[in-house]
Amino acid sequence: MGGWSAEREVSLVTGAGVAEACERLGHETVCVDMDHDVAQVLAGIGPDVVFNALHGTPGEDGSVQGMLDLMQIAYTHSGMATSVIAINKQLSKQTLIPHGIRMPGGHVVKSESLYLGDPLPRPYVLKPVNEGSSVGVAIVTSEGNYGTPIARTMPGPWQEFEELLAEPFIRGRELTTAVLGNCALGVTELKPKSGFYDYDAKYTDGMTDHVCPANIPAEIAQACLDMALKAHRVLGCKGTSRSDFRWDDEKGIEGLYLLEVNTQPGMTPLSLVPEQARYVGMSYDELVTAILEDAA
């Protein structure tokens, strides 16, 4: 858990919750706040299974998975190849769209080019290609204060990343579906109390209302379940994953888009996978057990 990604603090909370559950379940448990000597630390521990509670890079992008594969240590969640593809939003599109999964259009742009002109008609979304949890996402509108074109001095992801993914903005509602093993658990609607469902809204208590199950037509709910499970299988995910959707409710089923698949969803008190597990009658400890058993 932990590490040095932008999602370090959330990873520590996830790791602490999982460790407490493992201890309640009777497992001998060691918490490792990942540093660059992680391979040496793990070799000294000699674990039966690593519960990978890391978020972002390098814990979710295939790096740690490749190391654990070389060390022949079993670990939770998805393997190296799946992790490499799923965390890269452009690679995910190239993998999933040919299988009939609707995702937003768009393309990768150099951040420098944004100071010369817009890559898409406004409104559009800019996001890092290889980050999760809505880290570094900006919505560029005609009424916004970023400037036309975007001003070089204006704070935003263009100052942090050399490349960004530009996508058309999809109006409507935020939906998410967790998959555990071969079962899609449910659909939650996320209602941020201000702005959009960004990193702060996800992990700050009281900033977002969770409606589980979502109050949406049965056709839309079933489509979320089907698309999330199909994406999980096509990508080759293991353990649990979470698919995030945007639904333009004025367009019906044609307005439902998969945004991304998270291969290592959070397990904090505010996290969506434990919430949906509770909805289907599974406790937090039972969820941890299912993930561990899949890894072992």
Side-chain angles (χ1 to χ4, degrees):
M1 61 185 186
W4 53 85
S5 80
E7 301 175 67
R8 168 180 168 78
E9 296 305 319
V10 174
S11 172
L12 290 172
V13 177
T14 285
V18 169
E20 290 171 7
C22 288
E23 289 171 353
R24 287 193 298 269
L25 292 163
H27 302 303
E28 183 180 355
T29 306
V30 179
C31 292
V32 176
D33 187 344
M34 185 180 70
D35 206 340
H36 295 281
D37 63 349
V38 62
Q40 182 179 351
V41 171
L42 288 174
I45 296 169
D48 296 311
V49 178
V50 166
F51 194 108
N52 188 353
L54 296 165
H55 302 315
T57 56
E60 196 172 353
D61 67 353
S63 301
V64 164
Q65 290 80 0
M67 178 194 71
L68 292 170
D69 287 338
L70 286 172
M71 296 179 72
Q72 297 185 311
I73 298 175
Y75 56 92
T76 64
H77 300 87
S78 298
M80 183 179 71
T82 295
S83 301
V84 167
I85 295 170
I87 201 170
N88 185 299
K89 297 177 178 65
Q90 190 68 0
L91 285 178
S92 295
K93 290 178 191 286
Q94 293 169 1
T95 303
L96 295 175
I97 290 175
H99 288 268
I101 295 175
R102 189 184 300 107
M103 301 182 75
H107 55 277
V108 176
V109 298
K110 296 290 185 183
S111 293
E112 278 287 322
S113 70
L114 299 171
Y115 308 134
L116 302 176
D118 289 329
L120 296 171
R122 297 190 181 198
Y124 62 90
V125 179
L126 293 169
K127 58 181 73 172
V129 179
N130 280 324
E131 291 283 353
S133 288
S134 300
V135 171
V137 174
I139 300 175
V140 182
T141 66
S142 299
E143 301 79 26
N145 60 356
Y146 291 134
T148 306
I150 292 172
R152 188 180 294 271
T153 56
M154 187 61 61
W158 41 84
Q159 295 182 337
E160 303 174 52
F161 303 93
E162 290 186 6
E163 292 185 332
L164 293 168
L165 179 62
E167 293 180 343
F169 175 74
I170 300 167
R171 66 159 301 280
R173 299 160 69 174
E174 300 271 359
L175 306 173
T176 192
T177 292
V179 174
L180 178 63
N182 287 310
C183 180
L185 300 181
V187 184
T188 299
E189 181 173 6
L190 306 159
K191 295 185 173 182
K193 294 183 179 178
S194 63
F196 73 106
Y197 191 54
D198 60 6
Y199 187 86
D200 289 336
K202 287 182 179 181
Y203 298 116
T204 304
D205 196 6
M207 285 189 66
T208 300
D209 290 331
H210 295 187
V211 181
C212 182
N215 184 19
I216 56 178
E219 178 189 33
I220 303 301
Q222 189 61 52
C224 288
L225 297 174
D226 293 344
M227 289 171 68
L229 185 56
K230 187 172 185 178
H232 183 95
R233 289 172 172 169
V234 169
L235 291 171
C237 297
K238 289 190 62 184
T240 185
S241 70
R242 196 192 75 241
S243 289
D244 296 335
F245 298 91
R246 190 82 170 169
W247 178 44
D248 184 341
D249 51 5
E250 293 182 356
K251 296 183 178 179
I253 193 69
E254 297 300 319
L256 182 65
Y257 292 84
L258 175 72
L259 298 181
E260 64 179 324
V261 177
N262 302 275
T263 56
Q264 284 169 219
M267 296 279 284
T268 75
L270 299 179
S271 293
L272 295 152
V273 173
E275 179 180 73
Q276 291 193 1
R278 287 194 301 273
Y279 170 65
V280 298
M282 179 179 284
S283 71
Y284 188 94
D285 288 7
E286 290 170 333
L287 174 61
V288 169
T289 295
I291 296 171
L292 284 172
E293 287 179 346
D294 181 75

